[in-house]
Amino acid sequence: MLPAMPASAAARPRPASSALLRFGRVAAMGTVAVLILIAGVWASWGTAQHVLLTKGREQGTVEVAECGGGSCSGPYAPVSAGSRERGRVVIEDSVAVAEGRTYSVVVKPGSDEVVRSGPAGMLYAWVPLGGALLLASVVVAGGLRRTRAAWAMAGAGVALLTAAFLAV
């Protein structure tokens, strides 16, 4: 049997500086984690707003004819009421776009730029948030020492990235 802990060690109070340092660490790492998540939402929202808020926006399809210089282009065929046919629209050249294929798209207001719509476009738009969730989970686990929350964030990030990969 192990001897009991001496009374002097068990009753020893922690100095106030230790509590202050702990609060500073939690505040700093919490701020970093929140900023990472805000940056992920901000980066995703530029594209996601067009995919999620489609009411009143032009919707249609684009057949990608040529790619080069970071973008692809092709003719646009309208699907929604009030949308007009265009001879050439531009879509970002990414993993989600291949030459010769047809995609459902939403036109960005006031331009000839389009973004993918539907489940694949929606998931692809939120990929930056998935990366931010993964990065913030490391900060939450290491800096805040909240492993369960970190695993939940990492799981959500991996699920989002995997779903986007499979949908695209």
Side-chain angles (χ1 to χ4, degrees), residues 17-35 139-146:
S17 62
S18 173
L20 188 61
L21 285 173
R22 188 171 50 253
F23 175 76
R25 176 183 50 84
V26 169
M29 291 296 107
T31 301
V32 169
V34 167
L35 286 175
V139 173
V140 168
L144 297 177
R145 298 184 182 147
R146 303 282 187 245

Side-chain angles (χ1 to χ4, degrees), residues 64 67 72 91-99 103 116 168:
V64 178
C67 292
C72 294
I91 188 168
E92 179 185 336
D93 185 12
S94 64
V95 177
V97 177
E99 199 170 323
Y103 300 101
R116 282 192 65 179
V168 170

Side-chain angles (χ1 to χ4, degrees), residues 60-64 73-77 89-91 101-105 114:
T61 60
V62 63
E63 183 179 345
V64 178
S73 62
Y76 171 80
V89 292
V90 178
I91 188 168
R101 296 196 54 198
T102 302
Y103 300 101
S104 60
V105 294
V114 295

Side-chain angles (χ1 to χ4, degrees), residues 116-153:
R116 282 192 65 179
S117 61
M122 185 170 49
L123 287 170
Y124 186 72
W126 289 106
V127 164
L129 177 61
L133 282 166
L134 286 175
L135 184 59
S137 72
V138 174
V139 173
V140 168
L144 297 177
R145 298 184 182 147
R146 303 282 187 245
T147 54
R148 288 184 184 166
W151 277 111
M153 290 171 69

Side-chain angles (χ1 to χ4, degrees), residues 2-12:
L2 298 172
M5 187 181 234
S8 63
R12 186 177 356 166

